[in-house]
Amino acid sequence: YTFVLVSIMLYVFGAMAVELITNNQLVDTDIEFRTIVQDHFSTLPETMLTLMQFVCLDSIGAIYRPLIQKQPHLLFYFTGVILVIPIVLMNLVT
């Protein structure tokens, strides 16, 4: 049950990330932004794998901080991801 719920949430947040981050205008103009997007958000499976890092809160600052500094509205997306995936869903396990 928990595995299915986490998988669904990773898919939903992954699809949102692909739309919000990969279609951003800074991908064409900013080299640092483009590098992070290509490394972590290029495809839906790659994005879901990156969001698995968010489940464990494993070195995520290097991923989301530069993106938020360039596009402050992404703070709402990453705050939602951090609040829902590792905190709320993982509390279901315990």
Side-chain angles (χ1 to χ4, degrees), residues 21 31-42 50 62-67:
I21 297 171
I31 294 171
E32 181 184 18
F33 195 92
R34 182 181 327 131
T35 303
I36 292 172
V37 169
Q38 288 173 348
D39 290 345
H40 300 287
F41 299 100
S42 57
T50 299
I63 298 171
Y64 75 82
R65 187 173 180 188
L67 298 178

Side-chain angles (χ1 to χ4, degrees), residues 59-74:
S59 303
I60 59 174
I63 298 171
Y64 75 82
R65 187 173 180 188
L67 298 178
I68 290 174
Q69 286 175 339
K70 308 275 184 189
Q71 291 289 309
H73 71 275
L74 291 176

Side-chain angles (χ1 to χ4, degrees), residues 18-52:
V18 168
E19 287 300 315
L20 285 172
I21 297 171
T22 59
N23 294 332
N24 198 305
Q25 70 268 12
L26 282 179
V27 172
D28 298 328
T29 58
D30 190 283
I31 294 171
E32 181 184 18
F33 195 92
R34 182 181 327 131
T35 303
I36 292 172
V37 169
Q38 288 173 348
D39 290 345
H40 300 287
F41 299 100
S42 57
T43 63
L44 183 59
E46 182 75 31
T47 302
M48 290 175 66
L49 185 61
T50 299
L51 290 178
M52 277 301 295

